[in-house]
Amino acid sequence: MTYAAGLVAILAAVWLLLSGYFDKPLLLGLGAVSVALVALISLRMRIVDDEGLPIQLPAGLVRYLPWLVVEIVKANVDVAVRILRPDLPIRPRVIRVRAGQRTDVGRVIYANSITLTPGTVTIDTEGDHITIHALTEEAAAGVLTGEMDRRVTRLEGRG
């Protein structure tokens, strides 16, 4: 029931923010009906669970997102420097790493974080392994350290 209440609260907040109607009773009523209908359909489909509505993530995102933004900026600078200075080596390689996350949501966040970081792209996910194309040896080494994996696992609530 906690997830259902969380879903209703999130849907209502999003509806209010996107609609901008706070004082029109008819529209507020229609918004409430649409929120209730979506919540009922979601409950009937049994998609309201810790993965369908990961309410534990926002607290971890506060710590994770600033770190990720810094990593994205550092990787952007590295790729830009390699473009502007062709004498710097570019040695593409494909690596395979183990994802330590226990949920699909955690693995998706990890794979997307890798892809958001310039110089690395997630090619494939299979079970708990992720295949990555890295533009340079340094980019591959950055993924192989496991720092991002540990941080996403901690974001997921396991570390």
Side-chain angles (χ1 to χ4, degrees):
M1 256 350 231
T2 302
Y3 294 113
L7 177 65
V8 168
I10 290 170
L11 288 173
V14 169
W15 188 90
L16 282 170
L17 288 173
L18 293 178
S19 73
Y21 293 112
F22 299 98
D23 58 352
K24 307 233 187 246
L26 175 64
L27 294 176
L28 288 172
L30 291 173
V33 168
S34 66
V35 164
L37 187 62
V38 169
L40 287 173
I41 290 170
S42 298
L43 287 169
R44 183 174 163 98
M45 292 174 63
R46 296 189 177 132
I47 59 173
V48 181
D49 58 8
D50 61 337
E51 280 199 39
L53 185 68
I55 56 178
Q56 76 278 9
L57 289 183
L61 284 173
V62 172
R63 290 187 314 262
Y64 179 69
L65 286 180
W67 177 85
L68 180 62
V69 168
V70 169
E71 292 301 307
I72 290 170
V73 169
K74 289 188 327 193
N76 268 301
V77 169
D78 180 57
V79 170
V81 167
R82 289 177 193 279
I83 291 169
L84 296 173
R85 294 193 47 211
D87 57 312
L88 290 176
I90 293 178
R91 293 189 182 95
R93 59 187 285 200
V94 175
I95 58 174
R96 187 173 160 108
V97 296
R98 185 181 172 287
Q101 295 71 40
R102 65 181 162 89
T103 64
D104 289 339
V105 171
R107 284 188 289 278
V108 167
I109 291 171
Y110 182 41
N112 284 338
S113 295
I114 290 169
T115 299
L116 281 171
T117 309
T120 55
V121 175
T122 300
I123 298 172
D124 187 29
T125 60
E126 185 178 320
D128 63 347
H129 286 86
I130 297 177
T131 306
I132 301 157
H133 177 273
L135 189 61
T136 64
E137 290 180 16
E138 293 83 4
V143 174
L144 291 172
T145 63
E147 178 65 20
M148 186 178 287
D149 181 57
R150 285 188 294 277
R151 287 180 180 264
V152 174
T153 301
R154 193 174 322 130
L155 162 72
E156 191 180 37
R158 273 194 355 161

